[in-house]
Amino acid sequence: MLAYPIVPSSRLADLLMTTERLEAALTFRAAFFDDRHQTAFRLFNGFTEGNPDLVIDLYARTLVIHNYADKPERGFSAVREAQQLLPARLPWIRAVVVKTRNSQDPQEKRGAVVYGETADRKILENGVWYAIDPMINRDASLYLDTRNVRLWASQHLKVKSVLNTFAYTGSLGVAAQAGGAARVVHLELNRRFLNVAKTSYTLNGFPINKSDFQVGDFWPRINHLKAADERFDCVFLDPPIYSATARGVVDLAQSYKRLINKVRPLIKHDGYLVAINNALFVSGAAYLKEIESLCADGYLTIEELISKKSWPSIP
């Protein structure tokens, strides 16, 4: 006698909806796939497409599936559906990585390969190679939503000097270097992240000056640069939402002004400060108001607003 699993009707409906949404995403974003499968983009944004527990990014031939459910088990069925459906629809996929955002296990947060063997380690964006390490931490080593900032950097910083604070894997500085910057200094607390930036340099044939890859805490390193009378044509300020070390606290909701004022003395006259807001809980209007208040003294002015890259959502 054959036995068939009994699936609750509500769960079956959820699975059918997930399948329909994923199929719609594949159709809607068909134009984003490149023939050589080297690019990166958000394939499915569940926050705006009907399932906030699920986000799927494509890095070359690797899918990174994020389970964002507050209770991870709630997102398991959608994740399984995605990891079964998408490789069948995209037969050139070589690996699928699943990250469980709210797991108690640090390794599950960083991710595990559930399909294939080896995840991709580089992507091509606007003619620039970026090294990636999809399981370096709970993020996938390259933020897709700052694509427009990277494009701006590659177009505006030729022969300029650049300081890339909170550099992470260095993508903003790599873009500036690709655009012909005269010097780019990367400042990051974690050496492993900066090693990814160095790999990006190697991929693009850029020379590596070890003194421009500085490992250390933001607060004392900025003081050191000031003491050395360093000045830059552009400073990128792309801090985490919250971070605390023995030398200081970064809290975007409470102290962004402090961060900006900390780096202002390092910016040359008529130079750029590129300040990035990563706090989803801080509204764009509130953030802009805070920046405008810093311009009241006349030493700073808002020249341009660069939107974060959001791949179009399905209507």
Side-chain angles (χ1 to χ4, degrees), residues 173-201:
V174 172
Q177 192 71 60
R183 181 191 180 199
V184 180
V185 176
H186 301 268
L187 177 58
E188 168 57 46
L189 184 62
N190 189 314
R191 185 180 302 276
R192 185 183 176 197
F193 297 161
L194 276 190
N195 286 339
V196 177
K198 290 180 181 178
T199 303
S200 291
Y201 270 51

Side-chain angles (χ1 to χ4, degrees), residues 134-277:
M135 294 182 289
I136 199 167
N137 63 2
R138 71 177 185 175
D139 298 306
S141 77
L142 180 74
Y143 291 113
L144 301 179
D145 57 0
T146 50
R147 180 187 182 103
N148 284 346
V149 184
R150 290 190 288 275
L151 182 60
W152 180 92
S154 69
Q155 294 175 339
H156 289 79
L157 299 177
K158 187 175 182 179
V159 305
K160 303 293 187 182
S161 57
V162 178
L163 174 62
N164 185 19
T165 69
F166 302 100
Y168 190 35
T169 57
S171 68
L172 298 179
V174 172
Q177 192 71 60
R183 181 191 180 199
V184 180
V185 176
H186 301 268
L187 177 58
E188 168 57 46
L189 184 62
N190 189 314
R191 185 180 302 276
R192 185 183 176 197
F193 297 161
L194 276 190
N195 286 339
V196 177
K198 290 180 181 178
T199 303
S200 291
Y201 270 51
T202 300
L203 289 172
N204 290 286
F206 303 151
I208 295 176
N209 184 345
K210 291 183 179 180
S211 65
D212 289 340
F213 293 80
Q214 300 185 11
V215 179
D217 190 288
F218 170 81
W219 306 102
R221 292 308 306 171
I222 294 298
N223 289 340
H224 175 79
L225 291 170
K226 290 178 182 177
D229 203 29
E230 293 270 21
R231 297 293 183 272
F232 299 89
D233 295 300
C234 178
V235 173
F236 287 109
L237 189 61
D238 188 14
I241 295 172
Y242 181 86
S243 175
T245 69
R247 307 303 293 273
V249 175
V250 173
D251 186 344
L252 293 198
Q254 302 297 326
S255 62
Y256 208 156
K257 283 185 179 181
R258 183 187 176 203
L259 292 173
I260 290 176
N261 286 327
K262 186 72 174 177
V263 301
R264 282 176 69 173
L266 294 172
I267 305 172
K268 293 179 182 180
H269 179 65
D270 286 337
Y272 295 109
L273 168 65
V274 181
I276 299 171
N277 173 27

Side-chain angles (χ1 to χ4, degrees), residues 6-61:
I6 299 175
V7 180
S9 60
S10 59
R11 183 181 167 197
L12 183 59
D14 287 343
L15 287 174
L16 291 172
M17 290 180 68
T18 297
T19 300
E20 292 172 357
R21 288 166 177 153
L22 292 175
E23 294 280 12
L26 287 171
T27 300
F28 188 68
R29 295 183 174 89
F32 297 154
F33 294 101
D34 62 304
D35 292 340
R36 295 188 177 184
H37 309 301
Q38 296 174 326
T39 193
F41 63 90
R42 178 145 291 177
L43 178 58
F44 180 77
N45 185 0
F47 296 110
T48 59
E49 293 175 35
N51 187 342
D53 295 340
L54 185 66
V55 169
I56 304 171
D57 295 327
L58 177 69
Y59 292 88
R61 296 173 184 263

